Amino acid sequence: MREYRTLSLRLMVICLIAALALAGVNALTAPIIETQKKNTANAGRRELIPDASDFVEAAAMDRFTAKYPEVTDAYTAVDASGNVLGYTMDVETKGFGGTIELNIGVLTDGTIAGMRIVSHSETEGLGANAAKPAFYNQFTNIPDTSSVQVMTGASVTSHAVIKAVDLAQTFAKECGPILQDASAQVSEEPAGEDTGVVSGNTVTETAEGFAGTVTVNVTFNDDGTIASVTADVSTETAGVGQRAGEEDYLGQFVGQSNADGVDTLSGATYSSTAVKEAINKACEKFAAGGASSSAEGTTITESAQGFAGEVTVNVTFNDDGTIASVTADVSTETAGVGQRAGEDDYLGQFVGQSNADGVDTLSGATYSSTAVKEAINKACEQFAGN
Amino acid sequence: MKTTKKASLGKVFLNGVITENPTFRLVLGTCATLATTISLINGFSMAIATTFVLVGSNVAISLLKNFIPEKVRIPAYVVVIASFVTIVQMVMQAYFIDLYNSLGVFIPLIVVNCIILARAETFAGKAENSVLASAVDGLGMGVGFICALSLMGTFRELIGSGTILGVPVLGDGFAANAMKFFANPAGGFITFGLFLATFNFVFAKIDAKRRNKA
């Protein structure tokens, strides 16, 4: 018993001395290791802004995520005497093959200090070249990205990177000065200017193409579908990007209510994407202000005998004879029963039809709904006769 | 008395470097040897770190040998050795971060390097060996380890990468087309085998000569 007590006590003493010695060494080396780790983490950022002596992480980064979801982290670069030199942003963007993570430095005067790709999954030999000095050195100390040459065969990757750098520059200009001030907020409205012009049923919108701005004029039907599209693609490459402005391509949008159903043009991804983007913007704009313009369509009022009295319908037609909208006055019918034939649930079924035959009568409200259908058919006949 | 002690210390030192060279004669610590000798600097610094632990633990154990109970000497030795290894690890991380990164997991693995426990058990823990002799023994073994790892590191870096300490001494042409095989683990085994064979051959010759003389 005594022997075991000696054994364990002595072993404990040895462990205690060892622990004390380690604690002492740790106290000496821990701060140095901490600095060392920070330096390693900052090495990438220092490549962008070499004069900076320290990088301070932004306070309350989530303030910016609503407006700039692509910017995942930001640092303020300060020199030895504490002056702010610029900012570095960790940005995630969508490339050709997947997410590209970039590290972008912007100086306080808005100059782009540099860009590095942290990780990517772009095509080897094409998009992957964005991570090579020949491409990323173009971003060193430039006022804006207009001087950057895109890589042949890797337009999507190049433009994703350029867009990310532009975004980081915008972010730095707006959010840079308030990075360390956790209480300051960014204004919520998007930074982009509203370039759209609405005149009657025609909306003019622009979007950034491959080499410049692409302008589209979209004329809408009253129901919000596209009646015709023209596009000004004069800034794009002749014979390549300019194909996105030709009738062959633009014709595909007619009858659609947005641009999503039309594919981009192979070989002219950027130009056609810009055209689509501008058309989508125009569609949104038209939909937002569409209430007033739909009144300009052809509306015909007709009536028919219902269950208890006369039912009146107002049918608005598209140019092609299909029904754009229907309202009905069924006030004479039985509340809760026949009057259901005047509700949007039922009337909505007629939209897009060219007559009422394709819609069933309402069970429990046969007379009222038959009257609605009859009135609509009369209106259709009258529209066709005009 | 004084002269015999000096001679014995010198003998203790040379014993570690040549006669009982830990790598080529005792074949101890081969894991670290094979893993870190892909370049001269890695092998050399690994051996320096090991030497520090060897000398430190030999001295500490020699000082404590009357305090450490016989029955728990191995746990006590391991605590002492692990402490020195942790110190080495922290110091390297603080001051030699590049080496720390390139040696990686092999720094904490010094704890289980057989040479260190072997010297604690067979030399430092023995009552007849003084603290000074234990220090010299640790140093001798360490220098032997340094020589062995530097030799293997030089060979493997020269043949495997065409460089010495990162300098392309055989010309850029060779460096570009170096026999990468020797920088790989399998090349490490073959290098180790070649060196072992060479040393065995040399020592066998020396032994034969001595026997002839006698």
Side-chain angles (χ1 to χ4, degrees), chain A residues 320-360:
Chain A
D320 61 354
T322 56
I323 294 166
S325 69
V326 181
T327 60
D329 176 3
V330 289
S331 54
T332 56
E333 304 304 286
T334 318
V337 184
Q339 286 195 358
R340 288 187 292 128
E343 286 171 13
D344 281 345
D345 273 2
Y346 183 63
L347 296 177
Q349 297 182 56
F350 295 97
V351 173
Q353 309 276 344
S354 53
N355 59 50
D357 296 344
V359 178
D360 287 330

Side-chain angles (χ1 to χ4, degrees), chain A residues 12-342:
Chain A
M12 239 172 70
V13 170
I14 292 173
C15 289
L16 192 70
I17 297 169
L20 284 175
L22 287 183
V25 177
N26 185 48
L28 288 175
T29 54
I32 304 170
I33 293 172
E34 198 51 46
T35 326
Q36 199 72 257
K37 277 186 181 160
K38 212 169 155 190
N39 280 345
T40 317
N42 283 341
R45 296 184 194 102
R46 190 158 287 124
E47 262 187 59
L48 303 173
I49 306 179
D51 299 333
S53 67
D54 196 11
F55 294 87
V56 188
E57 194 169 1
M61 193 61 206
D62 50 353
R63 285 177 290 157
F64 310 118
T65 42
K67 191 166 176 184
Y68 296 100
E70 299 91 343
V71 181
T72 54
D73 213 348
Y75 292 79
T76 307
V78 289
D79 67 8
S81 47
N83 299 319
V84 175
L85 297 175
Y87 315 96
T88 67
M89 273 69 60
D90 296 351
V91 179
E92 278 184 17
T93 187
K94 178 100 185 59
F96 184 76
T99 304
I100 306 176
E101 284 180 49
L102 309 103
N103 212 333
I104 298 155
V106 177
L107 300 180
T108 39
D109 63 359
T111 307
I112 298 163
M115 181 280 290
R116 293 291 186 278
I117 308 255
V118 179
S119 76
H120 68 83
S121 43
E122 302 303 287
T123 318
E124 204 50 55
L126 295 169
N129 289 340
K132 293 190 175 162
F135 183 69
Y136 70 61
N137 278 343
Q138 294 188 80
F139 292 88
T140 308
N141 287 321
I142 51 170
D144 57 63
T145 52
S146 59
S147 64
V148 174
Q149 296 280 310
V150 300
M151 296 178 292
T152 313
S155 315
V156 177
T157 310
S158 311
H159 279 275
V161 170
I162 291 169
K163 224 173 136 188
V165 173
D166 287 340
L167 179 96
Q169 195 179 20
T170 316
F171 176 88
K173 279 177 185 165
E174 190 186 0
C175 308
I178 57 166
L179 271 188
Q180 305 305 330
D181 180 4
S183 58
Q185 295 293 332
V186 286
S187 53
E188 280 304 321
E189 66 270 22
E193 287 170 53
D194 189 353
T195 52
V197 179
V198 186
S199 69
N201 277 7
T202 305
V203 180
T204 308
E205 267 294 358
T206 60
E208 217 44 47
F210 182 76
T213 305
V214 171
T215 310
V216 299
N217 290 297
V218 186
T219 307
F220 289 91
N221 296 319
D222 295 326
D223 63 344
T225 57
I226 295 166
S228 69
V229 182
T230 59
D232 176 4
V233 289
S234 53
T235 55
E236 304 304 283
T237 319
V240 184
Q242 289 197 355
R243 287 186 293 129
E246 285 171 11
E247 197 53 45
D248 275 0
Y249 183 64
L250 296 177
Q252 296 182 59
F253 293 97
V254 173
Q256 310 273 348
S257 55
N258 60 47
D260 298 340
V262 177
D263 286 334
T264 55
L265 264 180
S266 137
T269 315
Y270 260 85
S271 309
S272 51
T273 304
V275 167
K276 285 179 64 178
E277 196 185 319
I279 289 174
N280 268 340
K281 283 204 267 180
C283 291
E284 276 169 35
K285 186 141 290 163
F286 184 76
S292 58
S293 52
S294 71
E296 292 168 20
T298 315
T299 306
I300 293 170
T301 308
E302 272 292 357
S303 59
Q305 190 59 37
F307 183 73
E310 199 157 67
V311 171
T312 309
V313 298
N314 290 300
V315 186
T316 307
F317 290 92
N318 295 321
D319 294 342
D320 61 354
T322 56
I323 294 166
S325 69
V326 181
T327 60
D329 176 3
V330 289
S331 54
T332 56
E333 304 304 286
T334 318
V337 184
Q339 286 195 358
R340 288 187 292 128

Side-chain angles (χ1 to χ4, degrees), chain B residues 33-34 37-38 152 155-156 159-160 179-195:
Chain B
T33 305
L34 292 173
T37 52
I38 50 167
M152 279 186 63
F155 182 82
R156 287 180 69 188
I159 308 291
M179 288 180 258
K180 292 254 157 44
F181 171 74
F182 279 95
N184 291 335
F189 275 103
I190 289 184
T191 309
F192 193 43
L194 290 174
F195 274 99

